[in-house]
């Protein structure tokens, strides 16, 4: 897993996004995830899952779902640095991904039937390879079991995000929930 693509696309003199910093010591027992709401040229959400010292990232054009009947296209993008997990701010005009970025949801996650980060990472690595990841999100907004399924080998970047039918599933449009930072900004 490498951050070369991430770094190639950005000028860290011009964007407030995190650059390359020494990575935090490994060994904690919970993997983290974040979902950014990104007001770029097209509003979209970005799902980022911590794995092996980076954030595996997917852009979700229509946003995440808690409805098992929906399948949301999730386009795999370049790995992001771990420090991106709490990034919030404005990427200035003229830079890659220019626009406001809010943390929409965050928390911990783990692969199905695993109890620690090590076992979880092993399963997730395997799932990435096979094009089928199943994991449990423990966020403030998104909770319960999800699957990310790669559409086909011919277009390896295209995945589908699917909510499993569990006690957290509902047929409401969760993308209508605003990011905390978005609400604060409105009140200012
Ligand atoms: Mn984005």
């Amino acid at each position: 897993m490498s951050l070369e693509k991430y770094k190639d696309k950005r000028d860290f003199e011009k964007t407030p996004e995190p650059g390359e910093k020494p990575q935090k010591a490994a060994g904690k027992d919970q993997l983290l995830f974040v979902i950014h709401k990104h007001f770029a040229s097209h509003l979209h959400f970005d799902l980022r899952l911590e794995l092996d010292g980076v954030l595996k990232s997917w852009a979700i054009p229509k946003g995440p779902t808690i409805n098992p009947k929906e399948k949301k296209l999730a386009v795999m993008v370049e790995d992001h640095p771990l420090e991106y997990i709490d990034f919030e701010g404005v990427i200035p005009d003229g830079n890659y991904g220019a626009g406001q970025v809010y943390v929409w949801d965050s928390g911990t996650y783990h692969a199905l039937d695993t109890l620690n980060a090590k076992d979880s990472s092993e399963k997730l690595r395997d799932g990435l390879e096979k094009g089928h990841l199943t994991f449990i999100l423990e966020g403030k907004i998104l909770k319960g079991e999800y699957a990310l399924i790669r559409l086909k080998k011919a277009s390896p970047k295209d995945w589908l995000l699917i909510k499993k039918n569990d006690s957290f599933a509902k047929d409401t449009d969760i993308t209508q929930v605003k990011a905390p930072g978005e609400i604060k900004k409105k009140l200012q």
Side-chain angles (χ1 to χ4, degrees):
M1 317 242 171
S2 139
L3 296 173
E4 288 314 311
K5 275 192 199 159
Y6 174 85
K7 286 188 275 178
D8 282 353
K9 288 181 172 174
R10 293 168 175 82
D11 180 347
F12 296 107
E13 304 283 307
K14 292 182 182 157
T15 176
E17 297 165 287
E20 195 177 23
K21 283 186 213 154
Q23 276 165 13
K24 286 168 211 159
K28 60 186 174 55
D29 237 32
Q30 296 280 333
L31 299 172
L32 303 175
F33 84 94
V34 66
I35 297 178
H36 284 117
K37 185 173 181 181
H38 187 180
F39 290 86
S41 49
H42 293 278
L43 169 65
H44 63 273
F45 292 69
D46 294 292
L47 168 65
R48 310 190 195 282
L49 303 175
E50 177 189 4
L51 183 63
D52 295 330
V54 297
L55 297 172
K56 303 306 294 180
S57 297
W58 288 262
I60 307 176
K62 293 189 173 168
T65 182
I66 58 169
N67 183 350
K69 287 177 195 139
E70 292 182 328
K71 293 180 174 70
K72 295 296 192 92
L73 178 68
V75 181
M76 195 180 230
V77 297
E78 75 274 18
D79 294 346
H80 279 51
L82 265 190
E83 288 77 14
Y84 216 95
I85 199 105
D86 50 13
F87 173 71
E88 217 172 32
V90 178
I91 301 172
D93 281 350
N95 291 275
Y96 178 70
Q100 174 82 54
V101 178
Y102 291 111
V103 170
W104 183 75
D105 194 18
S106 64
T108 60
Y109 87 105
H110 57 90
L112 214 59
D113 305 320
T114 62
L115 294 170
N116 60 55
K118 185 177 167 283
D119 292 349
S120 203
S121 299
E122 221 161 274
K123 273 206 165 183
L124 293 162
R125 243 174 261 137
D126 203 44
L128 272 178
E129 185 75 27
K130 287 183 180 142
H132 192 147
L133 282 171
T134 45
F135 52 91
I136 311 285
L137 293 180
E138 285 156 26
K140 294 169 193 88
I141 300 174
L142 299 187
K143 296 172 198 288
E145 188 180 338
Y146 279 83
L148 268 170
I149 297 166
R150 192 166 56 213
L151 274 170
K152 52 182 178 205
K153 278 229 162 102
S155 53
K157 289 183 174 174
D158 295 337
W159 296 61
L160 292 175
L161 178 71
I162 300 164
K163 174 80 194 83
K164 286 288 168 78
N165 201 353
D166 57 20
S167 61
F168 300 106
K170 273 190 195 131
D171 65 355
T172 53
D173 180 5
I174 200 69
T175 64
Q176 295 307 306
V177 173
K178 290 203 171 7
E182 211 178 342
I183 297 165
K184 260 184 230 158
K185 201 173 180 188
K186 277 208 172 139
L187 295 173
Q188 275 167 11

